[in-house]
Every structure is written in structure tokens, then in C-alpha cells.
Amino acid sequence: KNEVEQSPQNLTAQEGEFITINCSYSVGISALHWLQQHPGGGIVSLFMLSSGKKKHGRLIATINIQEKHSSLHITASHPRDSAVYICAVNTGNQFYFGTGTSLTVIP
Amino acid sequence: GAVVSQHPSWVICKSGTSVKIECRSLDFQATTMFWYRQFPKQSLMLMATSNEGSKATYEQGVEKDKFLINHASLTLSTLTVTSAHPEDSSFYICSAGDSSGPDTQYFGPGTRLTVL
């Protein structure tokens, strides 16, 4: 069993839709990261969370430490949001990565 | 925000040659740098952790003699893939942490290595 599980694995949405990507983890963490990887491979760090909620533009990330769960929300999705979104957790000693959620937003 | 660069962004080499990949923190001092590898359609896998001025710590299963890591300064870490083979073809990504703590990681754009 992976330490970090993401769902769904693949997601197709129409432009403008509200999108949610979920991440569950089984280890104690000091922080959780949401990463965005575009075709071609470049990775951008979207959020780092240790509690609560963060918002950046149309992106919102939440984390529930007790439930060991985090969600990434995209409001008013756009084709340029098409990418792979990766959840990663830091235990303080090690990083564990989810396998990613491939998002395609159709115009 | 903090920026991490990698060079080259892609490289093609012949089997048996060595390839060096650089990871630089452009506007902060990186006390710790991490090297990851990603095979197609798979998640990132941590290869090693390097701290400035000391030997890198390699993850289980990663050959330290094959993947040489040097973190000679607070802004530069290098990964050298020695005697590269086609199975080493992968996407190599570095991340860097500053003095604020290990939780803050800034990712480089990655280097795609193809070994013919």
C-alpha cells in the first residue's frame, strides 16, 4: 500500500467546472505539498500546508490533519489548468509522493 | 518566490558516457537539496538528499557510485550519472530547501535524460 493515495487518477472536465482532487496519507507528516506538472515535465510547487486552508487565485488547498486528508480545488477551470497534480507529504525525514492526478480541461 | 534552476533541461547521450546535471538556487541559499527521478507515468522517487559540505544520503536501491552528487556550495548541487545506460533514461528533478526548514521545498524544472 502506498503511503500517499490520490483520487481520481484521471479527470476530464469542461471549462468552467469546479474540480476537486483528493489526497489521503497514512504517515505522520510535518507538511503536505501540492505540485503541478505540465506536459514536458516541469514541476511547480502550488501549496505547502501543515494545517487549515490556503488560497492562491483559483486554487484552494485544504488539509485535515486528524483525518490525514487533503483536497485541492480548482474553481472556474480552464484548459491551461490541464496538467498532472501531485500530492507529496514530508514526514520530517522523508518525502512520499502520490502517483498524481491527470487533469484535462476541455474548452 | 524562490527559484531553482536546472541545467541542462534535456540531454541526449550515448551509452557509456557520463552526464552532469546542475541544480542551482538562484535567490536563496539552499542548505539541503534533493534529487528525484521520475519514469514515464510514474510518481517522483527520491534518490538522495545532499547537504552542503557533506556527503549525500542515498535512498535504498540507489547506487551512489553511479549517481554522484556534489553539493559544494549553498547554491549549487550536481548530479553526475556515470557510465549512463538506456535504463537510466528518465526525468531528473531537484528541489532545494532553505534555512527556514525542510518543509519548504522549491522544485527545479527538471532535466530529461535520454541515453541511446
Side-chain angles (χ1 to χ4, degrees), chain B residues 44-104:
Chain B
L44 294 169
M45 292 181 60
L46 181 65
M47 297 176 67
T49 303
S50 74
N51 293 295
E52 185 267 337
S54 61
K55 288 185 179 180
T57 302
Y58 290 81
E59 296 299 301
Q60 193 171 13
V62 178
E63 299 175 60
K64 60 182 178 182
D65 293 332
K66 181 168 181 63
F67 299 99
L68 301 178
I69 291 172
N70 186 299
H71 192 162
S73 77
L74 285 170
T75 59
L76 174 65
S77 177
T78 60
L79 168 68
T80 301
V81 183
T82 62
S83 187
H85 288 278
E87 57 265 29
D88 298 323
S89 298
S90 187
F91 192 62
Y92 293 86
I93 301 161
C94 74
S95 71
D98 60 17
S99 57
S100 64
D103 293 343
T104 303

Side-chain angles (χ1 to χ4, degrees), chain A residues 20-23 34 49 60-64 69-73:
Chain A
T20 296
I21 300 171
N22 295 300
C23 175
W34 281 103
L49 293 163
I60 303 167
T62 64
I63 188 168
N64 185 317
H69 181 270
S70 174
S71 292
L72 176 68
H73 305 285

